[in-house]
Amino acid sequence: MKRLAGLVLALMMVGLMTLPVGAQGYPSQPITVIVGFGPGGATDVLARIVAKYSDKYLGQPMVINNMPGANTEISLVALKKAAPDGYTLCTINIPHALSNILMRQTQYTMEDFKYLANFVVDPGLIGVRADDDRFKTLDDLIKYAKANPGKTTWATSGIGSDDHIAANMFEVATGVKVRPVPYKSDAEITAAVLGGHVDVGGFNVGNVAEQVLAGKIRALGVMAEKRYPDLPDVPTLREQGYDVVSDSSRGIVAPKGLPDEIAQKLGDAFRKISQDPEFIEDMRKAVQPMDVKILDEYDEYMKALIKRFTDLYKVNPWGEKK
């Protein structure tokens, strides 16, 4: 019996030893979350709200590391190169991340990541400076753009971003030609519009609603299937006769190869965070339209997005693959 008990104990010890390195006791140190945009934008705000609750549900803080550039490619490549130990995560934006791959050769693929949690799906919005009397309505913008082909400047968060794709879709739907101007963050787009450096801003509701409600930005239309609840007076583009629907999803991913035990622990923590009443209130105040999908559900959602934008690119490419 003693020999049998010893054998059982030995087998149990072997089983423990075969657990992935780092899975036991995770997390035991702060977790870095890379953000592919500069401080102050909608994605940065989301990451910081999530990080606020990390101690409560993971027992360790999250440290935000902003790495803007190349339409989020810089941040995603940094994540790909990181150890898959759960201590380096990254925000991911669709269509940005996928659009890069469709347009050009990239140093990452969509298979390089473990999809942990999507938190937001944020509709697009066309906005101008409130005191710009040229553009009181969407039709004013269209008439102006037709009279000045290729001269109407349209701020976006980078070539291939949802804002850039939305501008492309707007051109097709209205027959106009605009000139996209790329910026590194949503905050820079807002500053460019308010400063009169560009004619139009390609926004998301989450990063401009406060400015609209404050009377600083005039919203000409929201690019969603229905009006946004916090901006009930802003019509959709479909209501105005143009079939343009655009949005940005924002989630958090890890490098491929992350042990299942760590992925599950992170997924469980993100689910609890998303259900915390204080988190929900923080997201509401920040105008971050919540649409939460965790692990397997996020995988399925991502597959659908990949198909959606790949099909769209085939029909109406917004960049030329080199």
Side-chain angles (χ1 to χ4, degrees):
M1 289 295 293
K2 289 183 179 180
R3 292 179 62 186
L4 180 60
L7 179 60
V8 171
L9 179 60
L11 290 172
M12 290 176 62
M13 292 300 294
V14 170
L16 288 172
M17 291 172 63
T18 58
L19 284 174
V21 174
Q24 302 173 57
Y26 173 85
S28 60
Q29 64 189 53
I31 298 166
T32 296
V33 180
I34 302 170
V35 176
F37 296 98
T43 303
D44 178 71
V45 170
L46 167 65
R48 292 179 190 276
I49 294 175
V50 173
K52 177 180 173 181
Y53 294 85
S54 181
D55 261 326
K56 182 176 180 180
Y57 291 104
L58 279 168
Q60 289 288 339
M62 286 182 172
V63 179
I64 305 302
N65 180 12
N66 296 91
M67 296 182 65
N71 201 35
T72 73
E73 182 171 2
I74 290 174
S75 63
L76 293 172
V77 171
L79 179 72
K80 176 184 175 180
K81 293 178 179 178
D85 56 9
Y87 290 105
T88 304
L89 309 178
C90 186
T91 57
I92 191 167
N93 299 67
I94 300 296
H96 297 69
L98 175 60
S99 182
N100 292 337
I101 295 171
L102 294 173
M103 292 190 301
R104 63 176 187 267
Q105 298 296 325
T106 57
Q107 297 180 58
Y108 69 90
T109 71
M110 299 303 289
E111 290 73 41
D112 287 328
F113 312 116
K114 174 66 178 177
Y115 298 96
L116 299 173
N118 186 80
F119 285 97
V120 167
V121 175
D122 196 351
L125 181 146
I126 299 173
V128 298
R129 196 166 72 175
D131 61 359
D132 191 337
D133 291 334
R134 296 174 300 168
F135 310 127
K136 292 186 177 180
T137 67
L138 186 68
D139 283 339
D140 288 342
L141 171 60
I142 294 169
K143 290 176 184 177
Y144 181 90
K146 284 184 176 179
N148 300 276
K151 295 182 180 180
T152 305
T153 51
W154 185 303
T156 77
S157 54
I159 297 173
S161 66
D162 63 307
D163 312 318
H164 183 252
I165 295 169
N168 177 280
M169 295 169 69
F170 180 79
E171 288 180 326
V172 172
T174 62
V176 305
K177 187 69 177 175
V178 300
R179 179 159 62 90
V181 180
Y183 289 88
K184 290 183 178 180
S185 71
D186 302 321
E188 288 186 5
I189 293 175
T190 302
V193 173
L194 292 177
H197 306 299
V198 292
D199 298 315
V200 184
F203 297 98
N204 291 103
V205 168
N207 60 50
V208 77
E210 183 178 346
Q211 303 285 353
V212 174
L213 294 171
K216 296 180 179 180
I217 295 287
R218 177 184 296 128
L220 302 182
V222 62
M223 292 177 276
E225 295 183 358
K226 57 183 180 180
R227 296 193 184 197
Y228 188 72
D230 289 348
L231 300 173
D233 296 330
V234 181
T236 68
L237 265 69
R238 280 184 172 176
E239 287 180 75
Q240 300 179 76
Y242 305 102
D243 189 17
V244 179
V245 174
S246 175
D247 54 47
S248 174
S249 68
R250 304 179 194 125
I252 295 178
V253 297
K256 180 178 67 175
L258 183 73
D260 290 342
E261 291 83 355
I262 293 179
Q264 191 62 54
K265 191 161 189 176
L266 285 165
D268 290 344
F270 287 141
R271 189 182 304 281
K272 290 175 182 176
I273 289 173
S274 72
Q275 295 169 347
D276 188 307
E278 293 183 7
F279 173 83
I280 294 171
E281 179 62 13
D282 284 345
M283 293 286 278
R284 186 194 68 78
K285 289 179 180 178
V287 198
Q288 294 274 347
M290 289 180 62
D291 190 342
V292 179
K293 296 171 176 60
I294 307 293
L295 296 177
D296 289 346
E297 187 181 7
Y298 193 13
D299 278 334
E300 292 304 311
Y301 175 64
M302 190 59 66
K303 289 175 184 176
L305 287 179
I306 290 171
K307 184 179 187 308
R308 169 186 167 190
F309 285 104
T310 301
D311 290 348
L312 179 63
Y313 187 82
K314 289 177 181 177
V315 173
N316 186 38
W318 49 87
E320 185 176 350
K321 187 138 184 170
K322 296 179 179 179

